[in-house]
Amino acid sequence: MSRAPLEQSRKLVTELPGPKARQLREQLATYVPKALSPSTPAFASRTEGGIMEDVDGNRFIDLGSGIAVTTIGASHPKVVEAVQRQVEDFTHTCFMVTPYESYVQLAKRLDELVPISGQTRSVLLNSGAEAVENAVKIARASTGKQAVAAFDHAYHGRTTLTMGLTAKNMPYKESFGPFAPEVYRVPGSYPFRDGLSGDQAAARTIEALESQVGAHNLAAVIMEPIQGEGGFIVPAEGFLTKIVDWCRANNVLFIADEIQTGFVRTGSWFASETEGIEPDLITLAKGIAGGMPLSAVTGRAEVMDAVHPGGLGGTYGGNPVTVAAALAAIDVMEEEHLTEKATRIGEIIRQHFEQVQQDDPRIGDIRGRGAMMAVELVDPKTQAPLADLVNRVAVEARKQGVITLTAGTYGNVLRFLPPVVIGEDLLKEGLSVITDILAETRSDTYATA
Ligand SMILES: Cc1ncc(COP(=O)(O)O)c(C=O)c1O
């Protein structure tokens, strides 16, 4: 039974949160721990394209995609159909017990798509953090070494191992230690703040790897090609190729964490392609399955095969319903030319903020790629981070019906991750709401974070 499409326009019909959402908030506070603190003053009832409709009938422009997940929208008809069909056939067998064809088909599709030459193999899992955990296991088994290096500003998840790989303490790590051993942190490349060229930053990283870890101890270097939660930090040109070259020369595996950047988000299938690097292992999740919880590690066959039979897996990993969704989502990305659409979104966002920046020097940096763009707000004189301002803009935008996310080690980054299928007018309206709010704060003074 097909429903009328959700109208693609912003509309507020109640104060926010509305009466139903307020009641649900009370129940949430009773039954859900305060550690989970949803930021939007609404409860979702339906989401489609670039719009989220709430239980009170308010329609929000979605500039967050549930943190970079619903690239093709949260209810794409092809994904809905594929999921419904699969649920009727079977919901679960556990691939380790009884395999099914779609798992293998998806592994084949990933082999065709990822920027790794030669045969690859894939293991399917449930969450991004689980993919990262498995990539580290595989790297250790393959190299016979234990140490793993991650970068300043990195985000790799919230499990015990991935918390250790993640850089920012609050809120991700505070009071949750001790973390897993043999994880080392090294400086990366943050052109806006360090002013280093790709070569200079890479030399600094390599010096740290050699002096503080030693290549003979190092199983893998893991990095997001564009750092996500860290503030959409695009490394200086040449940085990543230098690091990957060093890894290759030293029998150290390079893991590209493309959980946020992957699946057309940055205007190419994977950001590694644009950076001109070929990872040994890639971690994938988020946009892979049109909103269903699925992740993967894809890697060079000989690396993946270093793990003994039975060494990888899990009850739900590669659940057939999520796999059906992924196969449909990948088709949609191809058929609807979403790499090109993502590139266009990047141009619109960049142009919009470049215009605003001319009159507002608090916009210190506009960066990112494709539908993964951010602005870093700073005190124009000192470049001190304006975290309070970013928070205020995001809160106000949500009150005005625009779902906006923040990021950054210093909390001073507004980030934009719209569904790639969003209409251009809707996107521009959402951006205008944000910059109008920003303009209203020009005369205020802010404490720097
Ligand atoms: C680059 C990166 N790695 C790993 C993760 C963790 O993924 P998940 O939240 O699905 O565990 C995220 C989530 O934001 C991410 O952006």
Side-chain angles (χ1 to χ4, degrees):
M1 198 177 51
S2 66
R3 296 191 294 177
L6 181 59
E7 193 178 317
Q8 295 294 294
S9 65
R10 177 173 64 117
K11 190 173 175 198
L12 299 182
V13 294
T14 68
E15 58 173 355
L16 293 177
K20 284 189 190 157
R22 260 203 310 277
Q23 270 181 8
L24 290 168
R25 279 260 159 192
E26 278 167 28
Q27 292 186 30
L28 184 150
T30 307
Y31 296 112
V32 179
K34 66 176 189 292
L36 290 159
S37 43
S39 52
T40 307
F43 272 74
S45 73
R46 202 175 156 194
T47 299
E48 189 176 310
I51 289 289
M52 187 282 291
E53 188 174 61
D54 84 346
V55 288
D56 292 291
N58 299 297
R59 289 199 299 269
F60 292 69
I61 299 176
D62 180 9
L63 298 184
S65 301
I67 319 190
V69 172
T70 53
T71 306
I72 62 166
S75 54
H76 194 288
K78 294 214 164 155
V79 171
V80 172
E81 196 194 326
V83 165
Q84 283 173 342
R85 230 182 306 123
Q86 181 57 48
V87 168
E88 284 173 11
D89 288 344
F90 59 97
T91 55
H92 178 81
T93 63
C94 184
F95 189 77
M96 298 180 302
V97 179
T98 309
Y100 33 92
E101 185 180 350
S102 58
Y103 187 117
V104 183
Q105 271 176 357
L106 181 57
K108 182 166 181 287
R109 295 290 273 132
L110 295 177
D111 177 67
E112 290 155 3
L113 288 171
V114 297
I116 300 178
S117 52
Q119 185 67 58
T120 68
R121 301 203 214 289
S122 293
V123 56
L124 305 181
L125 305 144
N126 302 286
S127 69
E130 197 186 359
V132 172
E133 294 255 356
N134 276 274
V136 170
K137 280 165 65 174
I138 295 162
R140 285 179 173 156
S142 164
T143 58
K145 299 188 274 184
Q146 292 187 353
V148 181
F151 287 85
D152 286 341
H153 311 289
Y155 183 87
H156 298 291
R158 293 175 182 255
T159 57
T160 301
L161 173 60
T162 59
M163 266 191 297
L165 295 167
T166 290
K168 189 173 175 175
N169 181 49
M170 198 64 175
Y172 307 125
K173 302 165 75 164
E174 174 66 30
S175 76
F176 298 139
F179 307 114
E182 285 309 307
V183 171
Y184 297 84
R185 186 160 317 286
V186 290
S189 169
Y190 191 161
F192 176 65
R193 293 206 166 265
D194 65 26
L196 300 178
S197 70
D199 282 0
Q200 289 167 332
R204 185 178 63 171
T205 304
I206 291 166
E207 196 278 322
L209 290 170
E210 288 178 344
S211 63
Q212 293 175 37
V213 194
H216 61 290
N217 295 315
L218 193 57
V221 169
I222 182 165
M223 187 170 179
E224 306 148 80
I226 297 175
Q227 290 181 309
E229 307 300 301
F232 289 13
I233 305 165
V234 184
E237 203 181 325
F239 173 80
L240 274 167
T241 46
K242 279 268 177 332
I243 299 301
V244 174
D245 287 350
W246 179 86
C247 286
R248 208 131 286 159
N250 288 280
N251 186 30
V252 174
L253 298 180
F254 184 83
I255 305 170
D257 182 345
E258 293 242 19
I259 285 166
Q260 192 154 161
T261 49
F263 291 99
V264 313
R265 177 58 55 191
T266 65
S268 51
W269 276 93
F270 301 100
S272 295
E273 288 164 36
T274 320
E275 295 292 337
I277 55 165
E278 187 174 331
D280 299 291
L281 295 163
I282 303 192
T283 52
L284 304 165
K286 293 198 183 272
I288 189 173
M292 298 293 276
L294 178 72
S295 66
V297 182
T298 300
R300 291 198 287 117
E302 64 275 23
V303 173
M304 299 294 285
D305 281 348
V307 181
H308 52 275
L312 301 176
T315 306
Y316 292 113
N319 169 273
V321 183
T322 66
V323 169
L327 289 168
I330 291 169
D331 285 346
V332 169
M333 288 176 207
E334 276 178 352
E335 287 160 14
E336 298 187 13
H337 308 289
L338 293 190
T339 49
E340 287 148 47
K341 284 209 176 140
T343 302
R344 172 81 190 126
I345 287 173
E347 286 162 8
I348 292 172
I349 298 176
R350 188 176 289 282
Q351 279 163 14
H352 181 89
F353 281 104
E354 277 173 357
Q355 189 76 35
V356 177
Q357 192 181 33
Q358 287 177 9
D359 298 321
D360 194 342
R362 296 172 304 173
I363 298 183
D365 198 19
I366 304 165
R367 59 176 181 252
R369 205 176 285 141
M372 182 171 179
M373 295 292 298
V375 291
E376 177 160 352
L377 299 187
V378 295
D379 181 317
K381 291 201 190 78
T382 61
Q383 294 215 336
L386 294 178
D388 290 349
L389 174 60
V390 161
N391 197 36
R392 180 168 159 188
V393 171
V395 168
E396 185 54 34
R398 288 175 205 131
K399 278 194 203 149
Q400 294 188 26
V402 179
I403 300 175
T404 315
L405 305 176
T406 62
T409 300
Y410 315 112
N412 65 324
V413 176
L414 278 171
R415 59 167 161 168
F416 304 100
L417 288 161
V420 175
V421 292
I422 193 171
E424 286 193 11
D425 288 348
L426 213 51
L427 172 64
K428 286 177 185 166
E429 184 184 333
L431 296 175
S432 296
V433 167
I434 286 161
T435 42
D436 287 351
I437 296 166
L438 206 49
E440 280 160 23
T441 66
R442 291 262 337 248
S443 52
D444 300 0
T445 47
Y446 288 93
T448 54

